[in-house]
Amino acid sequence: DIVMTQSPDSLTVSLGERATINCKSSQSLLFNSNNMNYLAWYQKRPGQPPKLLIYWASTRESGVPDRFSGSGSGTDFTLTISSLQAEDVAVYYCQQYYSIPSLAFGGGTKVEI
Amino acid sequence: QVQLVESGGGVVQPGRSLRLSCAASGFTFNNYAMHWVRQAPGKGLEWVAVTSYDGDNKYYADSVKGRFTISRDNSKNTLYLEMNSLRSEDTAVYYCASHDRHFDWLLPFHHWGQGTLVTVSS
């Protein structure tokens, strides 16, 4: 099974500053036939369902502010919040959708101000 | 727009059973794979199970295999999760989730329900 490892576990960032979250997969998420990375990022606020932010490692979901960006390929990925806003306080998860049955999530990164 | 509404959660004793439902609307339900994902209190997200669009193929996380059964009734636009032999570690908010592209399931979860809380306690 693919294992997803996120770092750091938590992050304290000042308003307007950059936040960077890393995600490492135990095997490559790059599907050679279409050259796509099967990696998504979600934002989870207390009492709310997860919200899809980024998919295919770097495609921003419709309506997501452009301060959120995703990068990386293969086994190493990064979510960047370029200028942290108060509403970005949340837990962020990466997830691989390369392989069923184990559609694993990372352990989560808590972003605080 | 896409709407997913879970129900059926509650307090249940260890070893007992519970069935969750997820009512879907706003899309052609029988064209989309459907998933259950859960989050235990203070823990991260855990994928639980998936069913293909036609219900013919199903997969489970190792933690629930043999105890949970995912199913769907396409005539009722409803997804189910039958949970047997419940344990305290099954206590979680359970979400149903779906994609934005039909038939495939190697896709991100674009749509989520609000979740239903299951508490396993004596």
Side-chain angles (χ1 to χ4, degrees):
Chain A
D1 289 358
I2 298 176
V3 176
M4 307 299 292
T5 303
Q6 282 183 239
S7 63
D9 292 336
S10 64
L11 192 57
T12 302
V13 179
S14 300
L15 284 172
E17 294 299 305
R18 178 184 298 260
T20 301
I21 300 169
N22 300 302
C23 175
K24 190 173 184 67
S25 172
S26 61
Q27 66 185 71
S28 177
L29 303 182
L30 179 62
F31 201 53
N32 290 330
S33 66
N34 60 11
N35 202 37
M36 302 293 281
N37 286 283
Y38 284 53
L39 187 281
W41 289 97
Y42 300 86
Q43 178 189 65
K44 179 71 172 67
R45 296 188 180 112
Q48 295 187 20
K51 175 185 176 182
L52 178 64
L53 298 175
I54 302 285
Y55 55 100
W56 303 125
S58 61
T59 300
R60 196 178 303 114
E61 170 71 329
S62 176
V64 172
D66 61 6
R67 63 180 180 273
F68 290 92
S69 64
S71 62
S73 183
T75 61
D76 293 280
F77 301 91
T78 300
L79 174 70
T80 302
I81 310 172
S82 61
S83 177
L84 194 78
Q85 304 299 303
E87 61 266 32
D88 300 335
V89 170
V91 181
Y92 293 84
Y93 294 91
C94 60
Q95 182 225 357
Q96 68 86 6
Y97 49 97
Y98 181 93
S99 165
I100 277 185
S102 180
L103 297 174
F105 290 88
T109 296
K110 186 175 186 178
V111 174
E112 299 174 302
I113 294 175
Chain B
Q1 75 272 20
V2 172
Q3 193 167 15
L4 301 171
V5 180
E6 301 92 340
S7 61
V11 180
V12 60
Q13 292 179 328
R16 304 297 291 267
S17 300
L18 200 64
R19 188 177 82 157
L20 305 183
S21 300
C22 170
S25 61
F27 64 109
T28 307
F29 181 72
N30 60 9
N31 282 353
Y32 290 82
M34 296 293 297
H35 302 253
W36 287 100
V37 177
R38 68 183 180 183
Q39 184 175 34
K43 302 294 185 181
L45 298 171
E46 181 187 17
W47 173 81
V48 173
V50 61
T51 175
S52 58
Y53 66 97
D54 56 3
D56 283 352
N57 295 286
K58 304 169 186 180
Y59 294 95
Y60 301 89
D62 287 345
S63 58
V64 306
K65 199 177 300 181
R67 299 187 300 122
F68 288 14
T69 301
I70 189 172
S71 63
R72 62 192 298 159
D73 185 337
N74 285 343
S75 68
K76 295 182 178 179
N77 288 352
T78 302
L79 174 73
Y80 302 100
L81 185 67
E82 184 76 36
M83 304 184 294
N84 298 322
S85 303
L86 281 162
R87 307 166 180 167
S88 58
E89 54 263 37
D90 296 319
T91 294
V93 175
Y94 285 75
Y95 299 97
C96 60
S98 69
H99 310 294
D100 73 338
R101 191 187 304 173
H102 52 67
F103 303 134
D104 198 359
W105 54 19
L106 295 180
L107 294 166
F109 300 149
H110 276 83
H111 308 292
W112 297 75
Q114 288 297 314
T116 187
L117 176 62
V118 173
T119 303
V120 183
S121 174
S122 54

